[in-house]
Amino acid sequence: MRVIVVGAGAWGLSAAAELARRGHRVTLVDRYGPGNSLSSSSGPTRLWRIADPLPAAVRLGRRSVAAMDRLSREGSAELRVQQGMLWRDTEAALTELKVVLDTERVELTEVDADDVGRFLPILRPDHRPALWLPEAGSLLSGALLATYQRILAQHGAETMYGGEVASVDPDAVPVRVSLTDGRRLTADRVVLCPGPGAPALLGCLGLEVPLQPFAEQVVHLGDGGASDRYDDLPCLIDGPTETDPAVYAMPTPGVGYKIGLDDPLRALTTADVDRTPHPGLTVRISDYARRAMPRLGTSLVDELVCSWTDSPDGWFVVDRVGGAVLACGDSGKGFKYSAAMGEVLSDLAEDAEPHPDVAAMSATRFAETSRPDAWTPTALGAG
């Protein structure tokens, strides 16, 4: 089967690699190429975890970890580090989360408010309890993207970088993809993983899905000394308080401790290609670290701006329309599931019956949803 995959981010690369591994003839199309600064997949690390308030996310997380480990064994490359994660929040929020985790049999330890430092030594206790979740850690995103690219090359997939998709006709036989430079491509199936470009292509599929791309900023902090000092520290999700939004943090091996606020830099449009870090947001993140993590070095290692695309309910949009398969709405947490998403999207491209968890991601759930006047982002945890 001839397949065009649009988008060379984490989802598109994973889908293209899996389809090529299954013996299909794959062409991967992207405007800039993998890991570019305008994509949702740039940066050296992400936080992977099994724990999530959504049961389907727990199940997809387990599938993704299994897929990553298979890729790691096949390529002899480390793709994830398991340092564990502390999730601190209000007692009510953790009680709701624990119901899901207990049902899904996720390993956890309940942590008293004054005992958080035993699990994350740099964290200052406050009045809130936490859950210790050993099935979590740093995802080595650059290594995972390189693994997908290696599989593509190994199986002879074609890459077409520098081309921007203008339209898709999913009902044509074969499916037609038109580029802005006038080129026309045809295939038996097209898999669309366009990231922030999704809103512009939805109309081609006859879908009305309210999506909003955002820019997100993170920083790496260290102590100006050994770059590996924080490599073994656990990850953190720190729920919102009266003074701070939710915070996610993780070690980036050999770099420093990565911290981001669950508060986007700004909403994005397709014309917005500025990825310059905002000094004010860096100050906010650093101020949080000084107050909440007094034992963490305050030297600024770097500042990074990436993008993500929110759906109204904070969960993915995966659907099949004619000869097209669509995956969008990563909601700031898509990278950790990319290894599983490659399998999911390949199954759909091969016309397999979707698992109920996948069927529930259909765009039809937004049939009665209009775009909000003021969008409240729903992401939690760097993809």
Side-chain angles (χ1 to χ4, degrees):
M1 183 169 66
R2 179 73 175 172
V3 185
I4 297 169
V5 178
V6 176
W11 286 2
L13 271 177
S14 178
E18 179 64 17
L19 285 161
R21 190 184 69 81
R22 295 184 185 189
H24 301 295
R25 292 170 294 157
V26 174
T27 299
L28 177 63
V29 179
D30 191 271
R31 185 176 180 182
Y32 300 106
N36 71 83
S37 62
L38 299 182
S39 72
S40 305
S41 54
S42 60
T45 49
R46 294 294 192 278
L47 194 166
W48 71 266
R49 54 185 164 91
I50 302 299
D52 194 276
L54 182 66
V58 174
R59 294 188 288 269
L60 189 64
R62 283 202 169 107
R63 180 175 177 180
S64 194
V65 166
M68 276 193 287
D69 290 348
R70 173 180 59 79
L71 292 170
S72 182
R73 289 191 301 270
E74 292 176 356
S76 300
E78 184 180 42
L79 301 180
R80 66 183 183 94
V81 184
Q82 186 164 338
Q83 304 101 331
M85 181 183 76
L86 193 73
W87 190 321
R88 182 167 70 174
D89 213 322
T90 64
E91 186 171 349
L94 292 181
T95 297
E96 291 183 10
L97 175 62
K98 188 173 179 296
V99 169
V100 173
L101 302 187
D102 285 344
T103 301
E104 296 295 328
R105 298 184 179 181
V106 176
E107 183 181 353
L108 60 86
T109 299
E110 296 183 66
V111 182
D112 292 335
D114 58 0
D115 200 27
V116 296
R118 183 161 63 93
F119 294 85
L120 181 54
I122 61 172
L123 185 65
R124 171 177 284 161
D126 60 17
H127 63 282
R128 295 173 298 157
L131 294 178
W132 170 249
L133 302 153
E135 295 179 284
S138 300
L139 192 163
L140 308 181
S141 49
L144 188 55
L145 293 181
T147 296
Y148 296 145
Q149 291 174 269
R150 176 186 56 78
I151 295 171
L152 282 175
Q154 179 182 350
H155 292 278
E158 178 185 7
T159 57
M160 188 179 294
Y161 301 145
E164 182 180 3
V165 174
S167 65
V168 177
D169 185 349
D171 297 320
V173 181
V175 180
R176 292 196 293 266
V177 176
S178 300
L179 306 185
T180 55
D181 61 9
R183 284 179 290 176
R184 302 288 186 268
L185 308 176
T186 59
D188 301 296
R189 294 289 183 274
V190 59
V191 177
L192 300 172
C193 304
L201 293 179
L202 290 174
C204 300
L205 306 182
L207 297 176
E208 295 185 10
V209 182
L211 299 171
Q212 177 59 63
F214 289 97
E216 180 91 352
Q217 182 167 323
V218 299
V219 305
H220 281 100
L221 296 178
D223 60 3
S227 58
D228 60 353
R229 177 179 174 183
Y230 304 112
D231 287 5
D232 296 328
L233 282 179
C235 305
L236 171 70
I237 289 181
D238 207 5
T241 66
E242 293 181 357
T243 57
D244 294 305
V247 173
Y248 55 90
M250 74 212 72
T252 296
V255 178
Y257 205 65
K258 178 179 175 181
I259 304 176
L261 303 181
D262 197 26
D263 187 12
L265 182 58
R266 65 180 178 276
L268 283 178
T269 65
T270 54
D272 187 345
V273 296
D274 182 12
R275 297 298 181 267
T276 305
H278 191 284
L281 189 50
T282 297
V283 169
R284 285 181 63 197
I285 297 172
S286 299
D287 179 63
Y288 163 84
R290 279 190 294 270
R291 288 182 285 107
M293 302 175 174
R295 295 175 60 186
L296 177 67
T298 57
S299 297
L300 180 63
V301 178
D302 63 22
E303 310 159 275
L304 303 170
V305 175
C306 61
S307 65
W308 52 279
T309 304
D310 208 11
S311 71
D313 61 3
W315 192 228
F316 309 148
V317 180
V318 175
D319 220 331
R320 187 165 48 197
V321 179
V325 174
L326 170 70
C328 58
D330 61 277
S331 295
K333 54 190 177 186
F335 206 125
K336 68 175 67 65
Y337 302 107
S338 66
M341 287 295 286
E343 297 177 349
V344 166
L345 300 178
S346 296
D347 289 345
L348 291 176
E350 293 176 334
D351 295 332
E353 187 68 23
H355 183 278
D357 285 348
V358 176
M361 300 181 198
S362 169
T364 57
R365 72 185 192 271
F366 300 121
E368 304 301 324
T369 304
S370 59
R371 181 177 295 275
D373 293 329
W375 198 284
T376 301
T378 57
L380 180 60

